[in-house]
Amino acid sequence: LGSPYSIADYTGANPELGTLDELKAFIDEAHALGMHVILDWVANHTAWDNPLVAEHPAWYSRNWAGEMQPPPGTDWSDVVDLDYSHAGLREYMSDAMAFW
C-alpha cells in the first residue's frame, strides 16, 4: 500500500477502507447529523502504479536525467511528482475534483 498519499485512482476509494457507496452513506449520515466531512485530496503527486504514469507520462516532472521523479526536496519513494504546466493534466484534475 505504501503512503496513504500515494494516489492510484483520483475517482475511486481504497477498497481496504470501503466502497464509494459506503463513503457516500457516511457523508450522508454526517450531514444528517449536522456535521461536515473534509476529504484530504492530494493533487501534487500520484502513486507510481497510477494509470496516468503509463497513459500520460508527459504529465510528470523529470529529474536532470529525464526520469520521472518524486516531489523535489522530499525523500518520498512511493510517489511521482506531477507537472502542472500541461493543460491536459489541469483539465483532468479539475474533472476529478468536480467528481468529489
Side-chain angles (χ1 to χ4, degrees), residues 8 10 25 29 32 41 45 48-49 51 59 61 64-65 73 76 78 87 90:
Y10 279 102
E29 183 64 20
W41 196 82
H45 55 261
W48 286 93
D49 62 350
W59 290 359
S61 67
W64 62 270
W76 304 340
D78 62 343
R90 295 190 304 269

Side-chain angles (χ1 to χ4, degrees), residues 2-100:
S3 166
Y5 296 105
S6 184
I7 308 303
D9 180 356
Y10 279 102
T11 58
N14 182 335
E16 292 182 13
L17 302 175
T19 67
L20 282 176
D21 287 337
E22 290 169 330
L23 176 60
K24 289 176 185 177
F26 169 81
I27 292 169
D28 289 344
E29 183 64 20
H31 289 173
L33 295 170
M35 295 187 286
H36 298 277
V37 176
I38 299 172
L39 298 177
D40 188 3
W41 196 82
V42 178
N44 65 318
H45 55 261
T46 72
W48 286 93
D49 62 350
N50 186 303
L52 297 177
V53 171
E55 295 169 8
H56 300 283
W59 290 359
Y60 291 88
S61 67
R62 306 292 172 144
N63 64 17
W64 62 270
E67 302 162 327
M68 290 181 197
Q69 63 181 349
T74 72
D75 62 354
W76 304 340
S77 61
D78 62 343
V79 295
V80 58
D81 190 54
L82 289 164
D83 177 358
Y84 275 89
S85 68
H86 300 278
L89 173 58
R90 295 190 304 269
E91 182 178 348
Y92 174 88
M93 287 299 198
S94 293
D95 291 346
M97 286 178 18
F99 172 85
W100 294 103

